[in-house]
């Protein structure tokens, strides 16, 4: 993302990024170090059970964004099992402090 961010976004833009990459969060976030400094909000899918090989754990994702100056504002559950009483996944919404 860092290689194309400035081509599509102006310095005064209020950028909200949605990330839904099915287990490739580590790759995307690794390539967005500089871009995240310019982004106001991020929505990212987090999973509470392992679904993809080498996926980032939900705690890793939250810690990653906290170290980048973001605060978790909302967890919007999108997949749960009433029968098993488990939440499988949620969209985590972060905004800059």
């Amino acid at each position: 993302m860092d290689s194309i961010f400035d081509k599509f976004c102006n310095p005064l833009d209020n950028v909200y990024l949605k990330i839904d990459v099915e287990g490739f969060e580590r790759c995307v976030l690794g390539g967005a170090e500089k871009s995240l400094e310019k982004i106001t909000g991020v929505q990212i899918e987090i999973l509470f059970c392992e679904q993809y090989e080498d996926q980032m754990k939900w705690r890793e994702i939250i810690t990653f964004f906290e170290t980048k100056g973001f605060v978790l504002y909302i967890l919007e559950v999108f997949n749960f099992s009433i029968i098993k009483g488990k939440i499988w996944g949620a969209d985590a919404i972060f905004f800059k402090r």
Side-chain angles (χ1 to χ4, degrees):
M1 186 174 356
D2 286 344
S3 64
I4 62 167
F5 187 87
D6 291 332
K7 293 177 187 176
F8 296 98
C9 299
N10 295 315
L12 298 177
D13 287 347
N14 190 13
V15 178
Y16 182 86
L17 176 65
K18 183 173 189 311
I19 302 171
D20 186 354
V21 291
E22 307 301 326
F24 289 94
E25 292 81 10
R26 194 179 315 279
C27 294
V28 170
L29 296 175
E33 293 284 332
K34 292 179 183 176
S35 302
L36 286 172
E37 296 172 6
K38 305 169 188 174
I39 291 173
T40 305
V42 177
Q43 179 177 343
I44 186 168
E45 182 179 290
I46 59 173
L47 300 172
F48 298 104
C49 60
E50 190 169 342
Q51 200 168 4
Y52 304 105
E53 187 177 323
D54 198 37
Q55 76 183 42
M56 286 181 79
K57 307 289 188 256
W58 65 272
R59 287 187 183 120
E60 283 182 272
I61 292 173
I62 292 171
T63 301
F64 175 86
F65 281 104
E66 287 176 341
T67 62
K68 301 296 180 193
F70 288 85
V71 175
L72 177 63
Y73 275 83
I74 299 169
L75 270 180
E76 186 176 314
V77 175
F78 63 77
N79 192 352
F80 64 94
S81 171
I82 294 173
I83 296 169
K84 294 183 179 181
K86 290 186 178 184
I87 296 172
W88 301 103
D91 281 330
I93 299 174
F94 296 88
F95 287 99
K96 278 281 176 86
R97 291 192 179 125

